[in-house]
Amino acid sequence: MADYDRAKELKAFDDTKAGVKGLVDAGIVHIPEIFVTPAITENEFSAQNLECSDIVNVQIPVIDLEGINEDDFRHRKIVEEVGEACETWGFFQVVNHGVPQHVMDEMISGIKSFHEQPNDIKMRFYSMEPMKKVMFNSNFDLYQSKSANWRDTLACLMAPNPPTNDELPEACREELLQYSEHVRKLGHIIFELLAEALGLKPNHLLDMECARGHFIISHYYPPCPEPNKTLGITKHTDPDFFTILLQDQIGGLQIYHKKQWIDIHPVTGALVINLGDLLQLLSNDKFKSAEHRVLAKQIGPRISIACFFTTQLQPFERLYGPIKELLSDENPPLYKETTVRDYVYYYNSKGLGARPSLLHLRI
Ligand code: OGA
Ligand code: NI
């Protein structure tokens, strides 16, 4: 398109403050050019089109946390399963994780209500300012990425120094507070399991203050009239220690594993856990921060809630690098140290779909 002024179109979309849902509500039948993703090639969509079903049917491990503190044998078995999943996939699902089903259901419907409330109320939360503790926007990396994604997001930094209750949107305030408390507790359990799986004392990662912050990013993926031309989220890794993801039953999340895209099918009652770049760094590459993406779909909306364990851009000077206890002459450090803030800042400045940010710290 000769007369296509991308910068102008991006700005116009940003100025609507209505996100992708605003476009869908306006009844568009073709997606605007800013969302068209030229890199979606056969390879990008291969998992959908593959004839060979044995690859597509591979599933990430589902780990049952039942009895985790009651029985030593069970506990050791769970640690082993977690370690294996982190080394081979960087992704797993957990069931019997202690977050009640009603809390998850209410969170999903609270977030749906937030995104579906009248625009004039929702717009008050619209911001592209990354230091804000509560912000609604569409594509945090709108001006950095090559193509925009079919997704709107409400992001709330719940710790440290959470926003006051009044600052949280009324449409999902109670649900957010309730879910945040449950997911924080589960996060602690996961940090202990990860430490043990690395051969460290259970509280090692907690003592390093890895659980100091958590950031809840609640996505709304509207139905897309041309799902083969864009993505819900571009391929990326997460810039945190790990993420706990709650998704509804729509599907679309995929992980890039052994050069194939694998669907992560929603499992009722389960939460998805995926390791982020900072845990790959701490573990000196023993554990993986796996690349993943979300397809756009004709059906929807799809709701997903990602809880990132990170202090994001908050001032916090602690340095993180490969854990000394894991290093040896045969296993020298592969990464330089960083603060969480510097890392997130660098990651955000590149936008999704860029060269993996961890390479920037590679020794
Ligand atoms: C993310 C993410 C996946 C999803 O927020 O980083 O990968 O299913 N989300 O929404
Ligand atoms: Ni992600």
Side-chain angles (χ1 to χ4, degrees):
M1 262 195 216
D3 58 351
Y4 168 58
D5 182 346
R6 183 173 180 82
K8 194 169 147 218
E9 301 277 314
L10 290 172
K11 175 79 169 55
F13 173 68
D14 189 5
D15 285 347
T16 67
K17 303 187 180 186
V20 173
K21 183 169 186 300
L23 300 171
V24 173
D25 290 345
I28 54 136
V29 290
H30 294 292
I31 67 169
E33 196 67 23
I34 56 170
F35 292 93
V36 175
T37 309
I40 302 178
T41 58
E42 240 172 79
N43 177 45
E44 283 273 312
F45 274 104
S46 58
Q48 278 187 318
N49 303 332
L50 270 182
E51 304 280 323
C52 165
S53 60
D54 53 325
I55 298 170
V56 179
N57 283 335
V58 174
Q59 274 295 290
I60 59 166
V62 177
I63 302 180
D64 186 351
L65 299 186
E66 185 76 53
I68 188 169
N69 290 323
E70 272 119 59
D71 167 354
D72 266 4
F73 179 77
R74 258 311 287 143
H75 188 89
R76 279 201 303 275
K77 174 95 177 9
I78 292 169
V79 169
E80 223 171 84
E81 289 178 27
V82 166
E84 165 89 27
C86 292
E87 285 181 37
T88 44
W89 295 89
F91 257 83
F92 54 98
Q93 308 213 42
V94 287
V95 292
N96 295 313
H97 42 60
V99 183
Q101 186 66 47
H102 76 92
V103 170
M104 300 192 289
D105 294 344
E106 286 161 20
M107 182 63 180
I108 290 179
S109 45
I111 291 306
K112 188 162 185 282
S113 313
F114 171 82
H115 287 278
E116 294 181 351
Q117 71 189 313
N119 251 336
D120 55 330
I121 304 176
K122 189 166 66 171
M123 264 178 197
R124 291 185 210 144
F125 296 92
Y126 191 88
S127 174
M128 292 293 265
E129 163 50 58
M131 282 299 285
K132 277 217 131 151
K133 289 199 179 161
V134 178
M135 59 189 153
F136 158 66
N137 60 34
S138 181
N139 291 264
F140 73 96
D141 58 348
L142 188 66
Y143 296 102
Q144 285 80 37
S145 66
K146 287 209 178 70
S147 15
N149 291 161
W150 205 255
R151 168 185 99 255
D152 298 335
T153 303
L154 170 69
C156 303
L157 185 73
M158 301 303 283
N161 316 314
T164 61
N165 287 1
D166 289 356
E167 289 171 292
L168 293 171
E170 210 178 334
C172 55
R173 182 180 299 151
E174 294 307 321
E175 293 83 352
L176 254 167
L177 289 167
Q178 176 177 250
Y179 183 72
S180 174
E181 188 46 28
H182 281 280
V183 87
R184 185 187 66 78
K185 287 195 192 128
L186 176 60
H188 277 238
I189 295 171
I190 303 290
F191 271 118
E192 290 176 345
L193 289 172
L194 293 173
E196 286 185 84
L198 285 168
L200 304 164
K201 291 209 189 68
N203 56 350
H204 196 106
L205 297 170
L206 295 173
D207 288 349
M208 290 173 72
E209 298 181 271
C210 297
R212 187 181 165 95
H214 69 276
F215 184 44
I216 299 188
I217 313 175
S218 305
H219 303 297
Y220 184 93
Y221 299 86
C224 181
E226 296 181 290
N228 291 337
K229 287 194 180 172
T230 188
L231 288 165
I233 294 193
T234 302
K235 172 167 94 171
H236 68 283
T237 58
D238 292 353
D240 58 353
F241 291 105
F242 64 83
T243 304
I244 299 180
L245 183 90
L246 166 62
Q247 59 169 335
D248 67 13
Q249 295 299 311
I250 300 269
L253 175 61
Q254 298 185 321
I255 160 174
Y256 196 61
H257 182 72
K258 299 198 173 146
K259 305 211 158 91
Q260 295 290 346
W261 284 107
I262 312 241
D263 291 319
I264 300 196
H265 295 295
V267 170
T268 308
L271 291 163
V272 176
I273 313 285
N274 68 279
L275 300 189
D277 297 344
L278 295 174
L279 217 92
Q280 179 168 334
L281 173 138
L282 291 181
S283 75
N284 208 36
D285 274 0
K286 186 171 161 74
F287 287 174
K288 295 200 167 39
S289 171
E291 289 182 305
H292 53 284
R293 71 176 182 186
V294 176
L295 301 178
K297 290 205 165 196
Q298 197 113 39
I299 54 163
R302 171 178 185 263
I303 313 281
S304 70
I305 292 121
C307 179
F308 278 36
F309 284 84
T310 172
T311 44
Q312 279 300 97
L313 296 166
Q314 294 297 302
F316 176 43
E317 300 313 316
R318 189 171 188 128
L319 287 170
Y320 290 97
I323 293 174
K324 304 271 183 306
E325 286 81 345
L326 304 177
L327 303 176
S328 63
D329 289 345
E330 297 75 52
N331 184 22
L334 300 171
Y335 299 101
K336 291 179 265 195
E337 296 187 316
T338 182
T339 62
V340 174
R341 180 166 59 166
D342 285 351
Y343 189 69
V344 171
Y345 187 82
Y346 179 80
Y347 180 99
N348 286 354
S349 72
K350 300 280 159 199
L352 299 183
R355 166 180 183 268
S357 293
L358 253 189
L359 293 178
H360 171 65
L361 293 173
R362 193 94 188 175
I363 291 174

